[in-house]
Amino acid sequence: MSESGRVGRNDPCPCGSGIKYKRCCMARDRAAQAERVAWQKAAQNMRIALVGYAKEAELAVDLGAGLGLFWQDRYTPDTVEQMSVDESLRFFDWFAHDVALRAPERPDWQGKRLIEVYRAEAGETLTEKEAAILDTWIESPPGSAFAIEEADAAEGTAVLRDLFLPGRRVTVTDASAAKHGEVGQILLARPLPEHEVLRLSGGTAILPAEEEERLRQTMEEAQRAYAADHPEATTEAFLREHAYLLTHYALEWAEREGRPAVAADDPERGGLAARAVRRTIKASQRVRVQR
């Protein structure tokens, strides 16, 4: 085995057969790696495409309202490019997966989520993997808050406990969470399936462990108010409609800590952030053109 830890072509195969790796499991391993990369590419294509679709003219009203709701009017359609890359990913992830569209110009879209509309509209232009990715995402739970229970940097995985959906624990493949995450830290995130693994979708906001109880109380109070008008609604339904409250809490926490609540409030990041978001939007436009 090489110093990098990788198996060399002429090394004994790790399976224990005693045969050189190149004559044993190398072809199978390379095929499996190519398959993983293909699924990653399909998922990345769909994330970019959903951002691009959110910019469609028919969704201008929803996009403007969504920006105001999610960011508490800190961003508008005129200042959307001031978002940092992480903020852009977080917003468009929520907008695509959780928002019930009003779409006044498209009655057939009303009440549906952007991801559902895009899946129907894109139709046969999607590859088999892209269609499968979207189908599993559509059925996935809404965004939530998760406490890190375990982090394995070597494996690149982390075990997360959902603070609001009882009994839900997930193992996500995420190098950043695995390497830098601390047990107890709270991630405001959305784990989404990518073939055989779960990955954190969009940008992830991080809160310290000591905020768990206060966050839980804030969301439980909001859910009680929601239940008064929707007595049969599940916690998942509440989160689907009110996941933006998690971002509101993160904004409040930043202000309590004396930090810029959003990138637009930080003069040292504004210009770079705007350029990076423009690149993301341009990439989404290229994906649409290619279809």
Side-chain angles (χ1 to χ4, degrees):
M1 185 175 294
S2 66
E3 293 182 1
S4 66
R6 297 180 179 177
V7 181
R9 291 170 52 86
N10 293 311
D11 290 338
C13 188
C15 75
S17 65
I19 304 173
K20 288 183 179 181
Y21 181 53
K22 66 182 180 182
R23 300 189 184 281
C24 193
C25 294
M26 187 175 76
R28 184 200 62 189
D29 290 348
R30 288 188 173 181
Q33 175 61 15
E35 183 73 357
R36 286 192 293 270
V37 170
W39 280 103
Q40 290 175 16
K41 177 67 173 176
Q44 180 64 10
N45 283 346
M46 291 302 91
R47 290 188 179 98
I48 293 173
L50 289 172
V51 172
Y53 207 70
K55 307 287 286 186
E56 293 287 344
E58 295 95 331
L59 295 175
V61 172
D62 287 287
L63 183 62
L67 282 165
L69 178 62
F70 192 78
W71 295 117
Q72 296 182 312
D73 295 320
R74 289 174 171 84
Y75 290 115
T76 69
D78 293 332
T79 61
V80 65
E81 290 186 351
Q82 293 181 23
M83 288 192 293
S84 70
V85 174
D86 186 69
E87 288 173 340
S88 178
L89 292 172
R90 285 165 54 196
F91 169 75
F92 283 110
D93 177 76
W94 167 77
F95 187 69
H97 290 268
D98 291 339
V99 174
L101 299 174
R102 291 182 293 173
E105 298 181 15
R106 291 294 302 265
D108 55 321
W109 292 2
Q110 292 172 9
K112 298 178 180 178
R113 293 177 287 146
L114 186 148
I115 187 172
E116 295 170 331
V117 170
Y118 177 75
R119 173 67 176 91
E121 294 285 315
E124 295 181 358
T125 68
L126 300 170
T127 68
E128 184 178 342
K129 286 183 172 61
E130 289 170 347
I133 286 285
L134 289 178
D135 289 340
T136 58
W137 288 359
I138 287 170
E139 297 300 321
S140 295
S144 189
F146 298 85
I148 298 178
E149 290 195 332
E150 301 174 27
D152 189 329
E155 292 294 327
T157 61
V159 178
L160 310 180
R161 169 176 53 88
D162 194 315
L163 300 189
F164 306 116
L165 294 178
R168 185 187 181 202
R169 281 176 170 76
V170 296
T171 299
V172 297
T173 298
D174 187 281
S176 180
K179 183 176 181 180
H180 304 293
E182 300 175 3
V183 173
Q185 270 186 335
I186 300 167
L187 306 183
L188 308 184
R190 184 191 313 275
L192 286 178
E194 187 180 291
H195 192 38
E196 296 180 344
V197 300
L198 286 176
R199 295 188 189 274
L200 298 183
S201 174
T204 299
I206 303 173
L207 295 171
E210 54 267 25
E211 291 296 316
E212 177 174 341
E213 186 57 32
R214 186 169 181 171
L215 172 60
R216 190 188 297 277
Q217 291 174 357
T218 298
M219 294 299 288
E220 287 176 350
E221 181 178 346
Q223 186 173 1
R224 284 194 294 272
Y226 177 76
D229 295 324
H230 305 82
E232 302 299 322
T234 63
T235 298
E236 185 169 321
F238 164 73
L239 287 173
R240 181 74 74 192
E241 291 192 37
H242 294 83
Y244 62 86
L245 293 176
L246 297 171
T247 293
H248 292 185
Y249 187 92
L251 296 174
E252 175 200 336
W253 172 78
E255 291 178 340
R256 279 194 276 118
E257 293 293 310
R259 304 182 182 188
V262 294
D265 295 337
D266 187 346
E268 295 183 1
R269 296 179 59 192
L272 178 61
R275 290 194 294 273
V277 172
R278 282 196 292 271
R279 288 196 298 270
T280 300
I281 292 174
K282 286 180 180 178
S284 70
Q285 292 169 338
R286 286 197 297 272
V287 169
R288 281 190 295 163
V289 169
Q290 291 169 1
R291 299 196 180 282

